[in-house]
Each structure stands twice: as structure tokens, then as C-alpha cells.
Amino acid sequence: MIRIKTVPLAIISIVTMLGGIVIAKSVGYYETTASKDPVKFKTGKLAGLPNPADIRGSYTWVDIEKAFKVPAAEAAAAFSGADHALDPASRVSELETVYAGILPAGLEIGTGAVRLFVSLYTGLPFEAEEGSVLPEGALALLATRPGMDAEALRKFIIPGTSEAVQGAAPRAAAPVTTLAPAAANPAAASASPASNAQTAPAAAPSATTAGTGSGSGSGTGTTTTTSGRAVVGKTSYGDLYDWGLTEAQIEATTGFKPGSRTQSVREAAAAAGIEFSTFKTALQALVDKTAP
Amino acid sequence: MAKTTSGKKPKKTSRWVRGGIQIFFLALVALVATNEALSEQGIETLSFVEGASLHAICPFGGVVSFWQLATAGTLVKKVHESSVALGVIALVLSVLLGPVICGWICPLGSVQEWIGSIGRKLFKKRYNTFVPRSIDRPLRYLRYVVLIWVSYMTIVTGKLIFQEYDPYFALFNFWTGEVAIAGGLILVLTLIGSLFVERPFCKYACPYGAFQGIFNLFRIFGIKRVASTCISCKACDKVCPMNIEVSSSGTVRDHQCISCLQCTSEDACPVAATVVLAAGSADVKTAPAEKEAV
């Protein structure tokens, strides 16, 4: 019988813990913070470009500048509240505090708004939630982007506030100090049909509609349905089954095996490394077709 | 607590050693959690724990991330590589020594234990015996239901779903405003319950404790009772925080053992080398001279 007493047990426990950490560090597997490199699009012409959907609350504005070439100081200023100036080094999750209690019920300006803003700024696709809004400063900044469609931005105005984007035209004509979408993300620009035409908005169509992973636009930002059953980010497989779709139909449309009933389709797509927007329209069409 | 004929048994070294380690890890985790919260508020923090977070140093994150890591090669949101590394380290310790993480390191376990010492003073021998055995025994398996639920929901949602219910998270973040109502409520119930039952959350609800407890079934070094020298005083049973009947065991294989060693001959057991943490056969003839006077 090999016996271990208290003191040796304490030593073994601590040495194993600390030794294990040292070994994990030595082999490069002991990261205690999340990487600030967003996941990249895996397919289509945008393959290799950062995905705005992966921006997290722990990102600072500086992290966003590094990843997406969106100037940190201007972005932080654009999102600052009337009495709450944001530091470019602060986390975007701070927005939840800045805008808490001052927005109409059901609206939120948080990390999701930053994803949308970056998407609009860069022309990279992102599927915005319905009812997404942006602060006036952010809309005003976006309005200065070359070729930006002021009309496309209107849907993101906070109800009851002055319409900042109405001044889009004169602002757009003013000198622009920020990187143009094409310069920031050339592939995004070339992948967007709209951006190929100089007279057409560069960022708005792909951003407000979420575009697609392969670079094709997909209509307007508001989901249009003929069945009254909208496929949105929160739609679960259970919803799709309840609407009459079969597992085989869903798999054929999305390109990957469906998850459990409670899992949202968007989360499953993210886990499979596929952009939700690449099949959303087709899925919506299938839902509309199946509807009684 | 066993006593000698001369009066109170003096505090054993083993108790001080374990208590010291518990305090060390509680302080370390509190430092990391406080540092993280202050950092989020833009307040300057301590450089030597900078970047670490409560999630980054929780081995359970590594456990619930396992499926996503194996199938998609990614980690659940808020879980970092360090959680996986700590999960593996804890696994090694568990295979070797059982749930020492629970008995020696987990700060929530330590806090419950310390509050329990107040309950022990208040209720004396009645402490830790309030729950009828017929209810207590089946309830001990509730934590496996919690483990399965947490694992399933984490796999399905890809999120750290347990955070909203986790009293461990609530314990270190109650002042930050980030604690969900459910988590705060479970923490309060746990702390109040600790006055009546020793380690109630560990016994009935902790999913990581459930995971760790499985290793009691085949750990290499186990709690062993040498029958040939045992005097059947049941001091080991009385002191066990998890109400395990050590006195009727050869090797303790109860899934609730936390390897705290309170039952051993270094602490409660009055006979030398009779209840021990050991590997191999416990059926060793011990000379009568090794017996301590009782």
C-alpha cells in the first residue's frame, strides 16, 4: 500500500496545478483572454476577410480599428452619448451603460449596433436584427462615407430623434478623412455588386441586407415574407419544423445537418463556419412555399 | 470530532494545511475576479493577474467546451484555452487523487465549509443531519441532472449557459451588477443552507462536483479503512462533510467524497494508519503498538 499524507497531498496538488499551467504555457496553450482577431469569412470572394458578426463586447474601439480599419477615435466619438464621451480604449460593451434607459422600449444600442456600424462602414456583410438602431453620431459618420445611400441609413434612426442622415448629402461632399470601404476591404468592395458601380452606394446594400458570404446582395434589410413567417436570426430548427419544413429540406437548403429543435439556425450556421445570410433568403422562400 | 481521554483533541496539522490552501485559492480567485471587474470599469489593475478572468480560471469551462472543441475546434463563448488546460490538469488530479479540487481548492466549497462551522456551533450534533436520509440520498443524484442539462444546453447554444445560475460566479461578482437574479438567489440559498447542511451546493447541485465525483469510482489513490486496526468508533463518519459512512467501507468509492482527508488518521480517526489516503490493498496487518491511546 502506497500512502499519501496531507502535506505531500497538498504539495502534489499545487505542483500539479502550477506545473500543468507552466507546461500549458510552454506549449502555447494557456490563453486567458479572448483573441481580438475576429473569425474570417470562409467561403466566396470574402474568404479571409474579418466577419463583423464576431465582434464581441470585450473588443475595444482600438481592437476594431486593427481588425476592420475603422478609425477608433471617430467610431468612439460617433457612439458617445450626450454626456458620456467614450474612450477609444474602452470596450464596446460599455455602450449598454451609455444607452441604458434612454432608448424607447425594445431598442438597444450595444455590441450588435457596433457590428452593424462596422458592416455599413466597411461593406462587409452582416445580418442585423430587425429593429436595429444606431446613434445619430454613427449615422452622421456613415453618411460621410463615399457613395453611402442616405435612404438606406434611415431605417436605423432612433424613433423620435432628429434625422442625422438627412444631412448626408452635404456631409458626403465634405472631405473624408477615413478610409474608403474599397481601401479598407478591397475584396468586400469588389464582391459587392453595388460597389462596383461608382454611382451606387458602396456599403449600404451589403450591410443593411447582410449581403452574403459569397458577396452577393440579397435585397432589403427588412425581411420580406409572403407567409408572415419570417426567418430571422433567432429562428430555431423547431420553428422551421413547426412551419412544415422537413429535416431533409433544411439540410438541402443550408448545406449542413440541422441541429436540435432549440438551436437557432444562425448559431448552427456559425458553428458550421457558414454565414447565415448565405442561405437565409432561400430558407425564407422555402418557408413561404410551404406555408398553407 | 474525536477526543482523547485527556480532553479536546488538538487541532491537527492537516487541518491547517488544507485551510491555508483554501484561503490561498479563495484570495487568488477573488483577486482575479475583482481585477477583471475593475479593468472593465477602466480602473487601473494589478499587472500580475491582468487579462485573467473568472471564466479563464474555471476548469468547468473546459469540461462544457469539450464537445464544441472536439467537433468544431472552437471554444464556447467566454471560455478560453486556460479553462481547457485547467480542466485537463484537474482531470489528472481527479484520476490520481479524486476530487481534491472540490475539497481543497474550490472557493465556493470553502465558503460553504466556513459558514458550516458556524452552523456546527449553533446546532452541535444536529448539524448536517437535518435532511432525512430518504430525501437526502436521491437528492444527491440531482447534480448529475444539472451536469447533463448544463452540458446539453452549452452544446446546443454554444454559450456558457450556467453563468446565469452559477453561485460561484455570483459569489465573486455580486457587487458588479452582472449577476443574474437566479445566480444571486442560488448563492443566497446556498449560503443560508450551509448553516444547516454542510456544502449543500456541492452535495445536491454542483455540476462540476458531479463530474469530479465520477472519478471516485476508479481513482488511483483512495480513502481506505484498515479493518484490522479499526475500532469502529465511527469518528470518521461523524466528521465527513458529505455524510459518507467511511466506517463500513474498505475503500471509499462514494461519488460524493471530496478528498478532504478529515476522516483520516491524520485528523478525526483516533487510530494511527487506519483511515488513510492510499493506493493498493489496505489489508495490511498493523502492529498494536501503532494504535494511539483512545
Side-chain angles (χ1 to χ4, degrees):
Chain A
M1 184 168 73
I2 306 164
R3 186 179 165 189
I4 298 180
K5 289 191 172 183
T6 301
V7 173
L9 174 64
I11 293 170
I12 290 169
S13 300
I14 289 177
V15 168
T16 306
M17 288 290 288
L18 299 181
I21 291 169
V22 169
I23 291 170
K25 277 190 171 176
S26 67
V27 298
Y29 200 86
Y30 199 79
E31 197 65 53
T32 56
T33 52
S35 161
K36 297 298 188 289
D37 292 325
V39 296
K40 306 285 194 291
F41 289 106
K42 292 181 181 174
T43 57
K45 290 180 181 175
L46 298 180
L49 291 176
N51 188 343
D54 197 43
I55 293 173
R56 300 175 196 188
S58 59
Y59 278 42
T60 65
W61 299 101
V62 174
D63 295 329
I64 289 171
E65 178 173 343
K66 284 178 188 166
F68 295 95
K69 310 282 190 288
V70 178
E74 290 182 37
F79 274 84
S80 291
D83 54 354
H84 193 139
L86 291 167
D87 185 329
S90 65
R91 297 181 181 204
V92 299
S93 59
E94 198 176 327
L95 288 173
E96 291 165 17
T97 312
V98 175
Y99 291 96
I102 60 173
L103 292 176
L107 297 180
E108 185 182 80
I109 291 179
T111 309
V114 178
R115 292 178 186 134
L116 171 63
F117 170 77
V118 170
S119 166
L120 290 164
Y121 191 97
T122 59
L124 291 166
F126 170 68
E127 179 67 28
E129 291 289 341
E130 286 184 44
S132 295
V133 292
L134 290 170
E136 277 187 72
L139 290 169
L141 177 58
L142 289 170
T144 65
R145 302 289 291 154
M148 178 61 71
D149 179 5
E151 282 302 316
L153 293 179
R154 282 219 169 82
K155 64 171 72 71
F156 303 119
I157 293 173
I158 301 166
T161 61
S162 61
E163 297 190 0
V165 281
Q166 283 180 344
R171 281 199 185 93
V176 177
T177 56
T178 54
L179 288 169
N185 291 297
S190 63
S192 167
S195 66
N196 289 335
Q198 287 189 344
T199 53
S206 62
T208 55
T209 63
T212 72
S214 58
S216 60
S218 59
T220 63
T222 306
T223 306
T224 308
T225 77
T226 56
S227 62
R229 296 168 169 177
V231 176
V232 294
K234 290 175 183 171
T235 302
S236 68
Y237 284 108
D239 294 331
L240 296 179
Y241 295 141
D242 292 342
W243 292 342
L245 268 60
T246 65
E247 195 174 326
Q249 283 178 312
I250 297 169
E251 185 172 354
T253 307
T254 60
F256 57 91
K257 201 169 172 55
S260 68
R261 283 186 67 88
T262 55
Q263 187 176 29
S264 80
V265 184
R266 179 154 70 180
E267 283 172 354
I274 297 170
E275 185 67 18
F276 176 55
S277 54
T278 57
F279 57 78
K280 183 194 165 195
T281 308
L283 200 56
Q284 182 66 59
L286 189 62
V287 168
D288 291 342
K289 190 178 165 187
T290 312
Chain B
M1 186 73 211
K3 292 177 184 178
T4 63
T5 48
S6 59
K8 275 194 173 180
K9 192 176 180 179
K11 288 262 184 183
K12 296 290 179 76
T13 309
S14 60
R15 201 159 282 194
W16 289 110
V17 171
R18 192 170 74 89
I21 289 176
Q22 287 177 300
I23 291 168
F24 170 75
F25 278 103
L26 174 76
L28 183 65
V29 174
L31 191 65
V32 167
T34 307
N35 210 58
E36 180 197 10
L38 293 178
S39 167
E40 284 186 2
Q41 292 170 17
I43 298 169
E44 198 166 334
T45 52
L46 299 168
S47 59
F48 71 98
V49 285
E50 195 176 12
S53 64
L54 203 56
H55 295 303
I57 58 168
C58 178
F60 188 51
V63 176
V64 292
S65 265
F66 178 76
W67 180 258
Q68 190 167 315
L69 189 61
T71 55
T74 57
L75 295 170
V76 169
K77 280 179 187 172
K78 295 187 179 181
V79 172
H80 309 297
E81 287 178 354
S82 53
S83 296
V84 179
L86 289 170
V88 172
I89 295 166
L91 197 71
V92 171
L93 279 172
S94 302
V95 171
L96 195 65
L97 302 160
V100 281
I101 298 285
C102 303
W104 292 65
I105 293 172
C106 176
L108 183 62
S110 302
V111 169
Q112 289 176 80
E113 197 173 306
W114 295 330
I115 292 177
S117 64
I118 300 170
R120 197 179 290 278
K121 280 178 183 160
L122 288 174
F123 300 110
K124 312 276 184 217
K125 287 181 179 178
R126 287 173 59 213
Y127 177 70
N128 206 20
T129 61
F130 289 104
V131 184
R133 190 181 168 83
S134 59
I135 297 171
D136 174 70
R137 289 295 141 178
L139 269 184
R140 299 289 182 116
Y141 293 95
L142 180 65
R143 60 183 193 163
Y144 291 97
V145 176
V146 177
L147 174 63
I148 292 166
W149 175 76
V150 170
S151 303
Y152 174 75
M153 290 304 291
T154 308
I155 290 168
V156 166
T157 63
K159 293 174 186 168
L160 211 51
I161 204 82
F162 190 55
Q163 180 181 311
E164 291 188 11
Y165 309 93
D166 189 1
Y168 175 87
F169 181 82
L171 178 66
F172 292 104
N173 285 281
F174 66 90
W175 57 280
T176 62
E178 288 187 16
V179 175
I181 293 172
L185 193 63
I186 293 171
L187 174 65
V188 171
L189 288 175
T190 298
L191 299 182
I192 293 172
S194 299
L195 285 169
F196 304 91
V197 178
E198 188 141 15
R199 289 179 176 252
F201 187 73
C202 309
K203 276 177 182 162
Y204 304 122
C206 181
Y208 191 50
F211 176 75
Q212 291 273 310
I214 295 168
F215 295 94
N216 276 319
L217 307 179
F218 51 83
R219 56 197 272 193
I220 295 169
F221 284 85
I223 302 293
K224 295 173 189 291
R225 184 182 65 97
V226 181
S228 56
T229 55
C230 178
I231 57 171
S232 299
C233 66
K234 298 189 186 294
C236 49
D237 297 348
K238 288 171 195 161
V239 79
C240 178
M242 308 305 277
N243 309 88
I244 297 168
E245 289 183 8
V246 182
S247 65
S248 59
S249 310
T251 299
V252 174
R253 292 288 178 207
D254 193 298
H255 68 99
Q256 293 253 318
C257 177
I258 56 170
S259 294
C260 64
L261 304 195
Q262 289 188 67
C263 59
T264 64
S265 296
E266 289 183 83
D267 196 332
C269 177
V271 187
T274 295
V275 179
V276 294
L277 175 68
S281 172
D283 191 20
V284 179
K285 297 288 179 192
T286 310
E290 282 190 34
K291 288 191 177 184
E292 287 179 359
V294 180

